[in-house]
Amino acid sequence: MDQDVQDRALPIANVGRIMKQILPPSAKISKEGKQLMQECVTEFISFVTGEASDKCHKENRKTVNGDDICWALSSLGFDNYAEAIGRYLHIYRQGEREKINHTKKYENPQNQTQINRAPPPPLLLSRVENPPPTNQSG
Amino acid sequence: MCVDWDTVLHVNQEIMTSTHDLSDNEADDQQQSESQMEPLSANGISYAGIATQNVQYATPSQLGTGHAVVPPTYPYPDPYYRSIFAPYDAQTYPPQPYGGNPMVHLQLMGIQQAGVPLPTDTVEEPVFVNAKQYHGILRRRQSRAKAESEKKAARNRKPYLHESRHLHALRRARGCGGRFLNSKKDENQQDEVASTDESQSTINLNSDKNELAPSDRTS
C-alpha cells in the first residue's frame, strides 16, 4: 500500500520543504505531519484537476491550461485561491512573453542561458507572498 | 478512506463559512444544521422541515455563473445515485414558473442552506458539504474506486523490467548468502589468508559497502 500511495503522491521531501518555508526556522515537522499533508495535497490536486478536466471534456478540448485551473478553483468555491492564482498566472505569462521576445532578439546560446536564469526569482517571490493571507484568514 | 476525505472536506467547509461570515452567522449555521438533522431522524429522505434563511454566501455574479455552468443532466449512470437523487428532486423542490434546471434549484438551495447532504457508503449520518463541491466529490469517489479496482488487478508485480539485465544477474557469481561476489572481495579473502591486521577491517568495511551497492542497483 505504501508503495502504491507513493507512486501516485508528490515527493514527501518537497512537501516538507514547502511546509518549512512558512514556519519559523526553529520549528520542526514530524514525519506523520508530512505524510498526512502529502495525502491532503495529492487529493486536492486530483480534486481540482478533475473539475478542470471535466470542463475541458465538455468543451471538446484536450489540453487543460491555466485558465481552466483558475475556473475550477472558482467553481469549487475556492474563490480566494482563484484570485491569487489568477494574478500568478498573469505574472507568469508576462515572464514567458518577455522570455520569447529576448530569445527572438538574441539568438546566441550564451544569451539564452543568461535570460533563462532571470525569470524564476520574481515568480518564487510571488509564490511566497501567497501563503500569509491564508494564515490570516485561518 | 472516503469517510476521512468527507471529514476533511467538512472541516474545509467550516473554515470557509467562518472565513466568509460573522460569529452571529456561525450560530445561525449551527441552528440550521441542528434543524436539518431532526427531519433526518424521522425520514432518511425527506427534508420538508428545512428552514431556509437568506444567508448570502455568493455574489449575484457567482450565482449567475452557477446558472451557466450547471449541466442539464446527471452524468452518473449508477442506479445508486439515481435512487438517491430522484426522491430528493421530487419531494423537496416544486417546479418553478420560469422552468429552470432542477440542478440549478439544487445548487441555489444548497448554497442557501450552507450545505448539501452528501450520500455516504454508511448511510447512518450524512455529511454536509459545500454545494459547489458536491459533484466534484462524487467524481473523485468514482475515480478512487476505479483506481482501487485497477490496483487490485495489477497487484501481481513483474519480477524484472529488462530481460537482458535479468540474464546478466543470473550469470553473476553468488556467495554463501546469495549475495553477488565481486573482485575486491576475492582479493580481500586472499589477503586475509596472508595476514590479519587492523587495515584488514577497513578493507572489510569497504568490501561490505561494495557488496551492498550491487544489490541496491539490481533492485
Side-chain angles (χ1 to χ4, degrees), chain A residues 1 3-5 8 39-40 42-43 46-47 50-51 54 58 71 74-80 137-138, chain B residues 1 5 9 12 16 19-20 62 65 69 71 130 132-133 136-137 139-140 144 147 150-151 155 157:
Chain A
M1 286 298 293
Q3 291 183 355
D4 291 334
V5 171
R8 298 168 181 269
E39 285 202 25
C40 290
T42 303
E43 180 62 26
S46 302
F47 190 53
E51 184 77 8
D54 194 53
K58 288 173 184 173
W71 178 87
S74 179
S75 173
L76 293 171
F78 301 109
D79 298 305
N80 296 331
S137 62
Chain B
M1 186 171 179
W5 285 120
L9 290 166
N12 184 30
M16 292 185 70
T19 302
H20 289 289
Q62 289 177 355
T65 307
V69 166
N130 189 330
K132 294 180 175 178
Q133 301 175 8
I137 292 166
R139 194 191 306 116
R140 280 297 301 154
R144 266 186 256 119
E150 288 179 355
K151 188 188 299 179
R155 268 188 182 175
R157 185 179 171 186

mmCIF file of all heavy atoms in Angstrom, chain A residues 1 3-5 8 39-40 42-43 46-47 50-51 54 58 71 74-80 137-138, chain B residues 1 5 9 12 16 19-20 62 65 69 71 130 132-133 136-137 139-140 144 147 150-151 155 157:
data_model
loop_
_atom_site.group_PDB
_atom_site.id
_atom_site.type_symbol
_atom_site.label_atom_id
_atom_site.label_comp_id
_atom_site.label_asym_id
_atom_site.label_seq_id
_atom_site.Cartn_x
_atom_site.Cartn_y
_atom_site.Cartn_z
ATOM 1 N N MET A 1 0.836 -1.212 0.000
ATOM 2 C CA MET A 1 0.000 0.000 0.000
ATOM 3 C C MET A 1 0.859 1.246 0.000
ATOM 4 O O MET A 1 0.591 2.208 -0.688
ATOM 5 C CB MET A 1 -0.897 0.013 1.238
ATOM 6 C CG MET A 1 -2.031 -0.966 1.167
ATOM 7 S SD MET A 1 -3.153 -0.616 -0.186
ATOM 8 C CE MET A 1 -3.855 0.919 0.370
ATOM 9 N N GLN A 3 3.869 1.674 -1.156
ATOM 10 C CA GLN A 3 4.472 1.902 -2.465
ATOM 11 C C GLN A 3 3.441 2.457 -3.437
ATOM 12 O O GLN A 3 3.722 3.368 -4.205
ATOM 13 C CB GLN A 3 5.048 0.594 -2.999
ATOM 14 C CG GLN A 3 6.260 0.108 -2.225
ATOM 15 C CD GLN A 3 6.843 -1.154 -2.817
ATOM 16 O OE1 GLN A 3 6.290 -1.719 -3.760
ATOM 17 N NE2 GLN A 3 7.949 -1.600 -2.269
ATOM 18 N N ASP A 4 2.229 1.907 -3.400
ATOM 19 C CA ASP A 4 1.201 2.390 -4.317
ATOM 20 C C ASP A 4 0.890 3.858 -4.040
ATOM 21 O O ASP A 4 0.740 4.655 -4.958
ATOM 22 C CB ASP A 4 -0.064 1.556 -4.162
ATOM 23 C CG ASP A 4 0.142 0.145 -4.669
ATOM 24 O OD1 ASP A 4 1.010 -0.029 -5.543
ATOM 25 O OD2 ASP A 4 -0.550 -0.762 -4.201
ATOM 26 N N VAL A 5 0.797 4.196 -2.758
ATOM 27 C CA VAL A 5 0.484 5.583 -2.419
ATOM 28 C C VAL A 5 1.613 6.494 -2.880
ATOM 29 O O VAL A 5 1.385 7.556 -3.457
ATOM 30 C CB VAL A 5 0.255 5.724 -0.902
ATOM 31 C CG1 VAL A 5 0.140 7.183 -0.519
ATOM 32 C CG2 VAL A 5 -1.001 4.977 -0.498
ATOM 33 N N ARG A 8 1.718 7.495 -6.550
ATOM 34 C CA ARG A 8 0.771 8.490 -7.027
ATOM 35 C C ARG A 8 0.898 9.825 -6.315
ATOM 36 O O ARG A 8 0.221 10.772 -6.692
ATOM 37 C CB ARG A 8 -0.658 7.981 -6.812
ATOM 38 C CG ARG A 8 -0.972 6.721 -7.577
ATOM 39 C CD ARG A 8 -2.277 6.129 -7.097
ATOM 40 N NE ARG A 8 -2.603 4.910 -7.797
ATOM 41 C CZ ARG A 8 -3.326 4.873 -8.905
ATOM 42 N NH1 ARG A 8 -3.772 5.989 -9.416
ATOM 43 N NH2 ARG A 8 -3.588 3.732 -9.486
ATOM 44 N N GLU A 39 -0.776 13.408 1.596
ATOM 45 C CA GLU A 39 -2.036 12.836 1.106
ATOM 46 C C GLU A 39 -3.054 13.929 0.818
ATOM 47 O O GLU A 39 -3.766 13.872 -0.196
ATOM 48 C CB GLU A 39 -2.605 11.858 2.137
ATOM 49 C CG GLU A 39 -1.860 10.546 2.176
ATOM 50 C CD GLU A 39 -2.707 9.447 2.765
ATOM 51 O OE1 GLU A 39 -3.946 9.545 2.711
ATOM 52 O OE2 GLU A 39 -2.128 8.488 3.278
ATOM 53 N N CYS A 40 -3.135 14.927 1.710
ATOM 54 C CA CYS A 40 -4.108 16.005 1.506
ATOM 55 C C CYS A 40 -3.818 16.751 0.211
ATOM 56 O O CYS A 40 -4.729 17.039 -0.572
ATOM 57 C CB CYS A 40 -4.054 16.988 2.670
ATOM 58 S SG CYS A 40 -4.672 16.331 4.190
ATOM 59 N N THR A 42 -2.121 15.755 -2.415
ATOM 60 C CA THR A 42 -2.351 14.928 -3.593
ATOM 61 C C THR A 42 -3.837 14.855 -3.922
ATOM 62 O O THR A 42 -4.240 14.971 -5.086
ATOM 63 C CB THR A 42 -1.795 13.523 -3.346
ATOM 64 O OG1 THR A 42 -0.413 13.628 -3.013
ATOM 65 C CG2 THR A 42 -1.950 12.668 -4.569
ATOM 66 N N GLU A 43 -4.665 14.685 -2.897
ATOM 67 C CA GLU A 43 -6.108 14.599 -3.125
ATOM 68 C C GLU A 43 -6.646 15.927 -3.638
ATOM 69 O O GLU A 43 -7.512 15.958 -4.521
ATOM 70 C CB GLU A 43 -6.814 14.210 -1.831
ATOM 71 C CG GLU A 43 -8.314 14.101 -1.952
ATOM 72 C CD GLU A 43 -8.746 13.014 -2.931
ATOM 73 O OE1 GLU A 43 -7.968 12.068 -3.131
ATOM 74 O OE2 GLU A 43 -9.839 13.125 -3.491
ATOM 75 N N SER A 46 -5.897 16.273 -7.310
ATOM 76 C CA SER A 46 -6.797 15.437 -8.113
ATOM 77 C C SER A 46 -8.196 16.034 -8.156
ATOM 78 O O SER A 46 -8.870 15.977 -9.187
ATOM 79 C CB SER A 46 -6.856 14.027 -7.525
ATOM 80 O OG SER A 46 -5.580 13.464 -7.470
ATOM 81 N N PHE A 47 -8.633 16.624 -7.045
ATOM 82 C CA PHE A 47 -9.965 17.219 -6.951
ATOM 83 C C PHE A 47 -10.103 18.378 -7.932
ATOM 84 O O PHE A 47 -11.053 18.444 -8.721
ATOM 85 C CB PHE A 47 -10.171 17.674 -5.505
ATOM 86 C CG PHE A 47 -11.558 18.102 -5.169
ATOM 87 C CD1 PHE A 47 -12.639 17.289 -5.421
ATOM 88 C CD2 PHE A 47 -11.780 19.334 -4.574
ATOM 89 C CE1 PHE A 47 -13.918 17.695 -5.091
ATOM 90 C CE2 PHE A 47 -13.053 19.737 -4.242
ATOM 91 C CZ PHE A 47 -14.125 18.918 -4.505
ATOM 92 N N GLY A 50 -9.657 17.233 -11.634
ATOM 93 C CA GLY A 50 -10.843 16.544 -12.131
ATOM 94 C C GLY A 50 -11.914 17.522 -12.582
ATOM 95 O O GLY A 50 -12.560 17.318 -13.612
ATOM 96 N N GLU A 51 -12.087 18.601 -11.817
ATOM 97 C CA GLU A 51 -13.066 19.617 -12.191
ATOM 98 C C GLU A 51 -12.667 20.295 -13.501
ATOM 99 O O GLU A 51 -13.497 20.482 -14.400
ATOM 100 C CB GLU A 51 -13.180 20.654 -11.067
ATOM 101 C CG GLU A 51 -14.237 21.706 -11.293
ATOM 102 C CD GLU A 51 -15.638 21.191 -11.033
ATOM 103 O OE1 GLU A 51 -15.781 20.068 -10.535
ATOM 104 O OE2 GLU A 51 -16.594 21.914 -11.341
ATOM 105 N N ASP A 54 -13.090 17.916 -16.407
ATOM 106 C CA ASP A 54 -14.494 17.739 -16.756
ATOM 107 C C ASP A 54 -14.957 18.859 -17.684
ATOM 108 O O ASP A 54 -15.660 18.617 -18.676
ATOM 109 C CB ASP A 54 -15.326 17.729 -15.481
ATOM 110 C CG ASP A 54 -16.722 17.207 -15.716
ATOM 111 O OD1 ASP A 54 -16.846 16.112 -16.277
ATOM 112 O OD2 ASP A 54 -17.680 17.902 -15.354
ATOM 113 N N LYS A 58 -16.183 18.584 -21.704
ATOM 114 C CA LYS A 58 -17.465 19.089 -22.232
ATOM 115 C C LYS A 58 -17.248 20.011 -23.420
ATOM 116 O O LYS A 58 -18.061 20.057 -24.340
ATOM 117 C CB LYS A 58 -18.219 19.832 -21.136
ATOM 118 C CG LYS A 58 -18.784 18.912 -20.079
ATOM 119 C CD LYS A 58 -19.376 19.697 -18.937
ATOM 120 C CE LYS A 58 -19.847 18.759 -17.839
ATOM 121 N NZ LYS A 58 -20.284 19.487 -16.639
ATOM 122 N N TRP A 71 -10.586 28.564 -13.276
ATOM 123 C CA TRP A 71 -12.040 28.374 -13.312
ATOM 124 C C TRP A 71 -12.458 27.261 -12.357
ATOM 125 O O TRP A 71 -13.471 27.376 -11.652
ATOM 126 C CB TRP A 71 -12.475 28.036 -14.741
ATOM 127 C CG TRP A 71 -13.932 27.789 -14.829
ATOM 128 C CD1 TRP A 71 -14.919 28.703 -15.025
ATOM 129 C CD2 TRP A 71 -14.594 26.524 -14.698
ATOM 130 N NE1 TRP A 71 -16.140 28.096 -15.019
ATOM 131 C CE2 TRP A 71 -15.974 26.766 -14.826
ATOM 132 C CE3 TRP A 71 -14.147 25.230 -14.486
ATOM 133 C CZ2 TRP A 71 -16.916 25.745 -14.743
ATOM 134 C CZ3 TRP A 71 -15.081 24.212 -14.399
ATOM 135 C CH2 TRP A 71 -16.444 24.471 -14.536
ATOM 136 N N SER A 74 -12.482 28.428 -8.775
ATOM 137 C CA SER A 74 -13.642 29.273 -8.520
ATOM 138 C C SER A 74 -14.919 28.445 -8.484
ATOM 139 O O SER A 74 -15.806 28.671 -7.656
ATOM 140 C CB SER A 74 -13.740 30.344 -9.611
ATOM 141 O OG SER A 74 -14.862 31.156 -9.389
ATOM 142 N N SER A 75 -15.017 27.464 -9.383
ATOM 143 C CA SER A 75 -16.218 26.633 -9.452
ATOM 144 C C SER A 75 -16.403 25.805 -8.191
ATOM 145 O O SER A 75 -17.534 25.523 -7.788
ATOM 146 C CB SER A 75 -16.126 25.718 -10.674
ATOM 147 O OG SER A 75 -17.177 24.796 -10.673
ATOM 148 N N LEU A 76 -15.303 25.386 -7.573
ATOM 149 C CA LEU A 76 -15.390 24.567 -6.371
ATOM 150 C C LEU A 76 -15.520 25.401 -5.104
ATOM 151 O O LEU A 76 -15.554 24.840 -4.011
ATOM 152 C CB LEU A 76 -14.153 23.672 -6.266
ATOM 153 C CG LEU A 76 -14.039 22.605 -7.348
ATOM 154 C CD1 LEU A 76 -12.684 21.942 -7.284
ATOM 155 C CD2 LEU A 76 -15.134 21.575 -7.201
ATOM 156 N N GLY A 77 -15.557 26.711 -5.231
ATOM 157 C CA GLY A 77 -15.740 27.545 -4.052
ATOM 158 C C GLY A 77 -14.464 28.095 -3.461
ATOM 159 O O GLY A 77 -14.509 28.778 -2.446
ATOM 160 N N PHE A 78 -13.322 27.826 -4.084
ATOM 161 C CA PHE A 78 -12.054 28.348 -3.561
ATOM 162 C C PHE A 78 -11.773 29.687 -4.237
ATOM 163 O O PHE A 78 -10.802 29.837 -4.980
ATOM 164 C CB PHE A 78 -10.918 27.368 -3.838
ATOM 165 C CG PHE A 78 -11.134 26.018 -3.227
ATOM 166 C CD1 PHE A 78 -11.414 24.929 -4.016
ATOM 167 C CD2 PHE A 78 -11.055 25.849 -1.862
ATOM 168 C CE1 PHE A 78 -11.617 23.690 -3.458
ATOM 169 C CE2 PHE A 78 -11.256 24.610 -1.297
ATOM 170 C CZ PHE A 78 -11.540 23.532 -2.097
ATOM 171 N N ASP A 79 -12.639 30.683 -3.960
ATOM 172 C CA ASP A 79 -12.523 31.952 -4.682
ATOM 173 C C ASP A 79 -11.241 32.687 -4.321
ATOM 174 O O ASP A 79 -10.618 33.321 -5.173
ATOM 175 C CB ASP A 79 -13.733 32.823 -4.368
ATOM 176 C CG ASP A 79 -15.011 32.170 -4.839
ATOM 177 O OD1 ASP A 79 -15.076 31.834 -6.031
ATOM 178 O OD2 ASP A 79 -15.926 31.984 -4.022
ATOM 179 N N ASN A 80 -10.831 32.614 -3.057
ATOM 180 C CA ASN A 80 -9.612 33.313 -2.664
ATOM 181 C C ASN A 80 -8.415 32.767 -3.422
ATOM 182 O O ASN A 80 -7.574 33.516 -3.911
ATOM 183 C CB ASN A 80 -9.383 33.154 -1.161
ATOM 184 C CG ASN A 80 -10.483 33.815 -0.365
ATOM 185 O OD1 ASN A 80 -11.072 34.784 -0.831
ATOM 186 N ND2 ASN A 80 -10.759 33.303 0.806
ATOM 187 N N SER A 137 -6.513 34.437 7.304
ATOM 188 C CA SER A 137 -7.927 34.034 7.234
ATOM 189 C C SER A 137 -8.210 32.883 8.190
ATOM 190 O O SER A 137 -9.302 32.772 8.736
ATOM 191 C CB SER A 137 -8.279 33.608 5.808
ATOM 192 O OG SER A 137 -7.506 32.477 5.440
ATOM 193 N N GLY A 138 -7.223 32.020 8.434
ATOM 194 C CA GLY A 138 -7.444 30.869 9.298
ATOM 195 C C GLY A 138 -7.526 31.204 10.774
ATOM 196 O O GLY A 138 -7.701 32.325 11.184
ATOM 197 N N MET B 1 -11.474 5.211 3.863
ATOM 198 C CA MET B 1 -10.702 6.307 3.272
ATOM 199 C C MET B 1 -11.624 7.397 2.759
ATOM 200 O O MET B 1 -11.349 8.578 2.906
ATOM 201 C CB MET B 1 -9.852 5.761 2.121
ATOM 202 C CG MET B 1 -8.914 6.809 1.542
ATOM 203 S SD MET B 1 -7.767 6.084 0.385
ATOM 204 C CE MET B 1 -6.868 7.525 -0.123
ATOM 205 N N TRP B 5 -11.937 11.542 3.845
ATOM 206 C CA TRP B 5 -11.937 12.701 2.956
ATOM 207 C C TRP B 5 -13.192 13.539 3.176
ATOM 208 O O TRP B 5 -13.157 14.760 3.100
ATOM 209 C CB TRP B 5 -11.843 12.254 1.502
ATOM 210 C CG TRP B 5 -10.481 11.802 1.153
ATOM 211 C CD1 TRP B 5 -10.092 10.569 0.711
ATOM 212 C CD2 TRP B 5 -9.289 12.571 1.243
ATOM 213 N NE1 TRP B 5 -8.744 10.554 0.517
ATOM 214 C CE2 TRP B 5 -8.218 11.759 0.838
ATOM 215 C CE3 TRP B 5 -9.017 13.877 1.641
ATOM 216 C CZ2 TRP B 5 -6.907 12.194 0.810
ATOM 217 C CZ3 TRP B 5 -7.709 14.325 1.613
ATOM 218 C CH2 TRP B 5 -6.669 13.490 1.198
ATOM 219 N N LEU B 9 -13.187 17.439 4.105
ATOM 220 C CA LEU B 9 -13.914 18.445 3.335
ATOM 221 C C LEU B 9 -14.929 19.163 4.209
ATOM 222 O O LEU B 9 -15.196 20.345 4.034
ATOM 223 C CB LEU B 9 -14.597 17.777 2.146
ATOM 224 C CG LEU B 9 -13.601 17.311 1.086
ATOM 225 C CD1 LEU B 9 -14.262 16.378 0.100
ATOM 226 C CD2 LEU B 9 -13.012 18.499 0.368
ATOM 227 N N ASN B 12 -13.127 21.679 5.948
ATOM 228 C CA ASN B 12 -12.860 22.757 4.999
ATOM 229 C C ASN B 12 -14.072 23.669 4.872
ATOM 230 O O ASN B 12 -13.955 24.890 4.811
ATOM 231 C CB ASN B 12 -12.512 22.156 3.642
ATOM 232 C CG ASN B 12 -12.139 23.215 2.643
ATOM 233 O OD1 ASN B 12 -11.611 24.247 3.004
ATOM 234 N ND2 ASN B 12 -12.416 22.973 1.379
ATOM 235 N N MET B 16 -14.348 27.639 5.616
ATOM 236 C CA MET B 16 -14.790 28.617 4.621
ATOM 237 C C MET B 16 -15.935 29.447 5.176
ATOM 238 O O MET B 16 -15.989 30.661 4.982
ATOM 239 C CB MET B 16 -15.224 27.894 3.349
ATOM 240 C CG MET B 16 -14.060 27.249 2.646
ATOM 241 S SD MET B 16 -14.541 26.538 1.094
ATOM 242 C CE MET B 16 -14.873 28.013 0.155
ATOM 243 N N THR B 19 -14.676 31.923 7.484
ATOM 244 C CA THR B 19 -13.963 32.987 6.786
ATOM 245 C C THR B 19 -14.928 34.026 6.242
ATOM 246 O O THR B 19 -14.692 35.231 6.339
ATOM 247 C CB THR B 19 -13.152 32.387 5.626
ATOM 248 O OG1 THR B 19 -12.263 31.414 6.145
ATOM 249 C CG2 THR B 19 -12.375 33.457 4.901
ATOM 250 N N HIS B 20 -16.047 33.552 5.667
ATOM 251 C CA HIS B 20 -16.933 34.484 4.980
ATOM 252 C C HIS B 20 -17.900 35.202 5.922
ATOM 253 O O HIS B 20 -18.288 36.334 5.672
ATOM 254 C CB HIS B 20 -17.741 33.739 3.913
ATOM 255 C CG HIS B 20 -16.921 33.313 2.734
ATOM 256 N ND1 HIS B 20 -16.434 34.216 1.827
ATOM 257 C CD2 HIS B 20 -16.493 32.102 2.338
ATOM 258 C CE1 HIS B 20 -15.743 33.558 0.906
ATOM 259 N NE2 HIS B 20 -15.770 32.280 1.196
ATOM 260 N N GLN B 62 -21.673 35.405 -9.093
ATOM 261 C CA GLN B 62 -21.340 33.988 -8.912
ATOM 262 C C GLN B 62 -22.576 33.124 -9.098
ATOM 263 O O GLN B 62 -22.514 32.047 -9.671
ATOM 264 C CB GLN B 62 -20.733 33.771 -7.535
ATOM 265 C CG GLN B 62 -19.340 34.345 -7.409
ATOM 266 C CD GLN B 62 -18.780 34.178 -6.019
ATOM 267 O OE1 GLN B 62 -19.473 33.705 -5.127
ATOM 268 N NE2 GLN B 62 -17.539 34.583 -5.828
ATOM 269 N N THR B 65 -23.032 32.706 -12.611
ATOM 270 C CA THR B 65 -22.080 31.716 -13.104
ATOM 271 C C THR B 65 -22.583 30.303 -12.824
ATOM 272 O O THR B 65 -22.470 29.408 -13.657
ATOM 273 C CB THR B 65 -20.718 31.928 -12.431
ATOM 274 O OG1 THR B 65 -20.332 33.280 -12.611
ATOM 275 C CG2 THR B 65 -19.677 31.012 -13.018
ATOM 276 N N VAL B 69 -23.087 27.282 -15.557
ATOM 277 C CA VAL B 69 -22.158 26.158 -15.517
ATOM 278 C C VAL B 69 -22.866 24.824 -15.280
ATOM 279 O O VAL B 69 -22.419 23.788 -15.742
ATOM 280 C CB VAL B 69 -21.093 26.414 -14.429
ATOM 281 C CG1 VAL B 69 -20.325 25.160 -14.128
ATOM 282 C CG2 VAL B 69 -20.184 27.530 -14.869
ATOM 283 N N PRO B 71 -24.660 21.476 -15.413
ATOM 284 C CA PRO B 71 -25.010 20.658 -16.573
ATOM 285 C C PRO B 71 -26.498 20.311 -16.561
ATOM 286 O O PRO B 71 -27.131 20.294 -15.510
ATOM 287 C CB PRO B 71 -24.149 19.413 -16.396
ATOM 288 C CG PRO B 71 -23.928 19.320 -14.937
ATOM 289 C CD PRO B 71 -23.849 20.732 -14.434
ATOM 290 N N ASN B 130 -20.019 21.676 0.860
ATOM 291 C CA ASN B 130 -20.270 22.835 0.013
ATOM 292 C C ASN B 130 -20.973 22.383 -1.266
ATOM 293 O O ASN B 130 -20.552 21.426 -1.916
ATOM 294 C CB ASN B 130 -18.938 23.498 -0.317
ATOM 295 C CG ASN B 130 -19.110 24.822 -1.015
ATOM 296 O OD1 ASN B 130 -20.074 25.043 -1.731
ATOM 297 N ND2 ASN B 130 -18.157 25.711 -0.819
ATOM 298 N N LYS B 132 -21.020 23.630 -4.132
ATOM 299 C CA LYS B 132 -20.191 23.725 -5.332
ATOM 300 C C LYS B 132 -19.294 22.509 -5.495
ATOM 301 O O LYS B 132 -18.902 22.178 -6.609
ATOM 302 C CB LYS B 132 -19.326 24.985 -5.259
ATOM 303 C CG LYS B 132 -20.117 26.267 -5.319
ATOM 304 C CD LYS B 132 -19.192 27.455 -5.245
ATOM 305 C CE LYS B 132 -19.936 28.754 -5.435
ATOM 306 N NZ LYS B 132 -19.040 29.923 -5.322
ATOM 307 N N GLN B 133 -18.952 21.881 -4.382
ATOM 308 C CA GLN B 133 -18.008 20.770 -4.429
ATOM 309 C C GLN B 133 -18.707 19.419 -4.500
ATOM 310 O O GLN B 133 -18.040 18.388 -4.540
ATOM 311 C CB GLN B 133 -17.107 20.809 -3.199
ATOM 312 C CG GLN B 133 -16.317 22.079 -3.080
ATOM 313 C CD GLN B 133 -15.532 22.147 -1.797
ATOM 314 O OE1 GLN B 133 -15.452 21.180 -1.053
ATOM 315 N NE2 GLN B 133 -14.966 23.303 -1.527
ATOM 316 N N GLY B 136 -17.955 17.393 -7.645
ATOM 317 C CA GLY B 136 -16.532 17.084 -7.651
ATOM 318 C C GLY B 136 -16.212 15.936 -6.712
ATOM 319 O O GLY B 136 -15.419 15.045 -7.036
ATOM 320 N N ILE B 137 -16.856 15.944 -5.538
ATOM 321 C CA ILE B 137 -16.605 14.880 -4.568
ATOM 322 C C ILE B 137 -17.094 13.542 -5.109
ATOM 323 O O ILE B 137 -16.404 12.520 -4.999
ATOM 324 C CB ILE B 137 -17.284 15.215 -3.230
ATOM 325 C CG1 ILE B 137 -16.595 16.410 -2.586
ATOM 326 C CG2 ILE B 137 -17.256 14.030 -2.299
ATOM 327 C CD1 ILE B 137 -17.362 17.018 -1.457
ATOM 328 N N ARG B 139 -17.391 12.722 -8.208
ATOM 329 C CA ARG B 139 -16.488 12.323 -9.287
ATOM 330 C C ARG B 139 -15.219 11.715 -8.717
ATOM 331 O O ARG B 139 -14.715 10.692 -9.203
ATOM 332 C CB ARG B 139 -16.160 13.541 -10.150
ATOM 333 C CG ARG B 139 -15.509 13.201 -11.461
ATOM 334 C CD ARG B 139 -14.968 14.421 -12.164
ATOM 335 N NE ARG B 139 -15.961 15.455 -12.332
ATOM 336 C CZ ARG B 139 -15.886 16.655 -11.759
ATOM 337 N NH1 ARG B 139 -14.878 16.960 -10.981
ATOM 338 N NH2 ARG B 139 -16.820 17.548 -11.971
ATOM 339 N N ARG B 140 -14.665 12.345 -7.671
ATOM 340 C CA ARG B 140 -13.442 11.834 -7.074
ATOM 341 C C ARG B 140 -13.674 10.460 -6.464
ATOM 342 O O ARG B 140 -12.804 9.592 -6.519
ATOM 343 C CB ARG B 140 -12.932 12.794 -5.995
ATOM 344 C CG ARG B 140 -12.173 13.978 -6.526
ATOM 345 C CD ARG B 140 -10.930 13.572 -7.239
ATOM 346 N NE ARG B 140 -10.034 12.821 -6.394
ATOM 347 C CZ ARG B 140 -9.143 11.941 -6.845
ATOM 348 N NH1 ARG B 140 -9.048 11.705 -8.129
ATOM 349 N NH2 ARG B 140 -8.347 11.316 -6.013
ATOM 350 N N ARG B 144 -11.489 7.248 -7.419
ATOM 351 C CA ARG B 144 -10.747 6.470 -6.429
ATOM 352 C C ARG B 144 -11.159 5.007 -6.464
ATOM 353 O O ARG B 144 -10.324 4.111 -6.375
ATOM 354 C CB ARG B 144 -10.967 7.050 -5.034
ATOM 355 C CG ARG B 144 -9.902 8.022 -4.632
ATOM 356 C CD ARG B 144 -10.066 8.458 -3.217
ATOM 357 N NE ARG B 144 -10.619 9.797 -3.116
ATOM 358 C CZ ARG B 144 -11.758 10.087 -2.527
ATOM 359 N NH1 ARG B 144 -12.482 9.137 -1.986
ATOM 360 N NH2 ARG B 144 -12.178 11.322 -2.476
ATOM 361 N N ALA B 147 -9.550 3.480 -9.464
ATOM 362 C CA ALA B 147 -8.119 3.254 -9.243
ATOM 363 C C ALA B 147 -7.907 2.074 -8.312
ATOM 364 O O ALA B 147 -6.983 1.277 -8.492
ATOM 365 C CB ALA B 147 -7.479 4.512 -8.666
ATOM 366 N N GLU B 150 -8.365 -1.093 -10.254
ATOM 367 C CA GLU B 150 -7.215 -1.315 -11.125
ATOM 368 C C GLU B 150 -6.022 -1.787 -10.307
ATOM 369 O O GLU B 150 -5.243 -2.629 -10.741
ATOM 370 C CB GLU B 150 -6.870 -0.029 -11.868
ATOM 371 C CG GLU B 150 -7.873 0.319 -12.941
ATOM 372 C CD GLU B 150 -7.510 1.609 -13.650
ATOM 373 O OE1 GLU B 150 -6.533 2.261 -13.215
ATOM 374 O OE2 GLU B 150 -8.187 1.964 -14.622
ATOM 375 N N LYS B 151 -5.876 -1.226 -9.108
ATOM 376 C CA LYS B 151 -4.756 -1.614 -8.252
ATOM 377 C C LYS B 151 -4.844 -3.096 -7.906
ATOM 378 O O LYS B 151 -3.862 -3.824 -7.940
ATOM 379 C CB LYS B 151 -4.780 -0.767 -6.984
ATOM 380 C CG LYS B 151 -3.580 -0.918 -6.098
ATOM 381 C CD LYS B 151 -3.778 -0.211 -4.786
ATOM 382 C CE LYS B 151 -4.000 1.275 -4.956
ATOM 383 N NZ LYS B 151 -4.218 1.945 -3.665
ATOM 384 N N ARG B 155 -1.931 -6.229 -8.966
ATOM 385 C CA ARG B 155 -1.090 -6.468 -7.798
ATOM 386 C C ARG B 155 0.063 -7.410 -8.109
ATOM 387 O O ARG B 155 1.105 -7.358 -7.456
ATOM 388 C CB ARG B 155 -1.929 -7.052 -6.656
ATOM 389 C CG ARG B 155 -2.457 -5.970 -5.747
ATOM 390 C CD ARG B 155 -3.123 -6.547 -4.531
ATOM 391 N NE ARG B 155 -3.651 -5.488 -3.695
ATOM 392 C CZ ARG B 155 -4.374 -5.711 -2.598
ATOM 393 N NH1 ARG B 155 -4.643 -6.950 -2.243
ATOM 394 N NH2 ARG B 155 -4.822 -4.720 -1.878
ATOM 395 N N ARG B 157 3.118 -8.143 -9.419
ATOM 396 C CA ARG B 157 4.138 -7.241 -9.944
ATOM 397 C C ARG B 157 5.139 -8.024 -10.775
ATOM 398 O O ARG B 157 5.436 -9.179 -10.494
ATOM 399 C CB ARG B 157 4.845 -6.571 -8.766
ATOM 400 C CG ARG B 157 5.845 -5.523 -9.153
ATOM 401 C CD ARG B 157 6.453 -4.937 -7.900
ATOM 402 N NE ARG B 157 7.568 -4.060 -8.201
ATOM 403 C CZ ARG B 157 8.337 -3.508 -7.275
ATOM 404 N NH1 ARG B 157 8.102 -3.760 -6.003
ATOM 405 N NH2 ARG B 157 9.337 -2.717 -7.597
#
